[in-house]
Amino acid sequence: MRHDPASGAIIIMLRSLKMHGMAQAVGELTEQGSPAFEAAVPILSQLLKAETADREVRSTAYQLKAARFQNYRDRAGFDFASSEVNEALARQLHRCEFLEDAHNVVLVGGPGTGKTHLATAIGVQAIEHHRKRVRFFSTVELVNALEQEKLQGKPGQIAARLTHSDLVILDELGYLPFSASGGALLFHLLSKLYERASVIITPNLSFGEWATVFGDAKMTTALLDRLTHRCHILETGNDSFRFKNSSAKAAKPAKKRSRNLTNA
């Protein structure tokens, strides 16, 4: 049996592109030792590499769109110097190793402390570098969708779709209240995702306050028990980036006006 590394690489690429008939034909041509085929191998290899790269770019673009992030965010754009975040843990989570065992992440902190930015950056990294399927939700919007599908007599469809995801991000838990029935539906969804997909949650509440959102202490305890089993907790502090930035910007014009009055 003839073995040619270049032809072997082509066969691997063809199979990864699901071109199994062509892969078999390449194997047969390699066995035959066709001079015409051997001369065409370098060009065929370049064409397949171009097709593979193009498919990866289009797949990444599709997955980023399907994730429905509010904005594109990456780790490089996060200001660790002005944050209370444990940078070492943030970088560890950014490697997305926790996704392999369906571990969860809870980002705890006040409004404007970068929770959404960090969660989005992890989701973007998971898509761009690990080919993972990610979905991003405002928690209230997700609960509304769960209630709507129940009213339409189609409960469980959203949960069934999300079990095929690698990562589900629930943003802004606790910012706005939702009904007791909505809390129960969210509980059942998270139970469905348990150990099937990783979940990142960005609450505006301490764990002890979650019962005020779900409206049932026992259900909340059960949810936290499952959610925090094999969970990474990253604290972002309470000092808002947005408040500090807006205060700094507001202070600059004030100084300028003061100088103008002095010069006058």
Side-chain angles (χ1 to χ4, degrees):
M1 179 182 290
R2 288 172 57 89
H3 176 69
D4 177 47
S7 297
I10 287 175
I11 291 172
I12 291 172
M13 283 189 284
L14 286 168
R15 287 174 177 168
S16 70
L17 294 170
K18 302 186 185 303
M19 298 178 176
H20 301 291
M22 290 182 65
Q24 182 178 347
V26 168
E28 293 170 355
L29 289 168
T30 302
E31 286 291 326
Q32 295 169 11
S34 167
F37 172 72
E38 291 178 359
V41 164
I43 294 176
L44 181 57
S45 178
Q46 288 183 2
L47 290 172
L48 289 173
K49 287 178 181 178
E51 177 64 20
T52 299
D54 181 68
R55 289 194 185 188
E56 289 180 353
V57 168
R58 285 188 284 117
S59 175
T60 298
Y62 171 80
Q63 291 297 338
L64 286 171
K65 184 178 180 180
R68 298 181 181 178
F69 297 117
Q70 293 178 341
N71 296 288
Y72 182 94
R73 294 286 184 267
D74 56 25
R75 192 188 66 191
F78 188 83
D79 185 5
F80 285 102
S82 302
S83 171
E84 299 177 33
V85 170
N86 181 331
E87 184 174 355
L89 178 55
R91 290 182 179 277
Q92 175 189 329
L93 295 173
H94 194 257
R95 294 199 295 268
C96 297
E97 295 167 353
F98 70 94
L99 297 176
E100 300 307 319
D101 297 311
H103 288 190
N104 302 316
V105 177
V106 177
L107 297 167
V108 182
T113 56
K115 299 189 299 297
T116 301
H117 185 137
L118 290 170
T120 302
I122 292 172
V124 168
Q125 177 76 1
I127 292 172
E128 292 185 339
H129 297 277
H130 303 280
R131 300 181 183 178
K132 299 298 185 181
R133 291 163 296 184
V134 180
R135 284 302 311 272
F136 180 100
F137 293 95
S138 160
T139 304
V140 170
E141 290 178 359
L142 174 60
V143 170
N144 289 339
L146 291 170
E147 291 187 311
Q148 189 64 31
E149 72 166 6
K150 184 179 180 180
L151 288 173
Q152 294 173 350
K154 302 175 181 178
Q157 291 187 349
I158 294 174
R161 290 197 299 269
L162 291 181
T163 55
H164 296 291
S165 301
D166 299 294
L167 173 62
V168 177
I169 301 173
L170 301 183
D171 193 35
E172 298 186 335
L173 175 69
Y175 279 70
L176 293 172
F178 41 78
S179 66
S181 61
L185 290 170
L186 182 58
F187 168 79
H188 289 302
L189 169 63
L190 291 172
S191 298
K192 192 84 172 179
L193 296 178
Y194 178 59
E195 294 190 331
R196 295 186 183 184
S198 293
V199 177
I200 295 179
I201 298 182
T202 66
N204 189 34
L205 304 168
S206 65
F207 288 124
E209 296 174 304
W210 281 34
T212 62
V213 175
F214 290 93
D216 186 301
K218 290 184 178 179
M219 184 175 66
T220 304
T221 300
L223 171 63
L224 287 172
D225 182 61
R226 292 184 180 185
L227 183 67
T228 58
H229 177 225
R230 301 190 302 179
C231 178
H232 305 273
I233 299 174
L234 184 62
E235 297 183 18
T236 59
N238 291 306
D239 292 333
S240 170
F241 287 151
R242 290 190 289 269
F243 179 76
K244 286 188 289 187
N245 289 338
S246 63
S247 297
K249 290 178 181 177
K252 288 180 180 178
K255 291 181 180 179
K256 187 175 182 180
R257 286 194 299 271
S258 176
R259 286 196 299 270
N260 291 338
L261 288 170
T262 303
N263 293 336

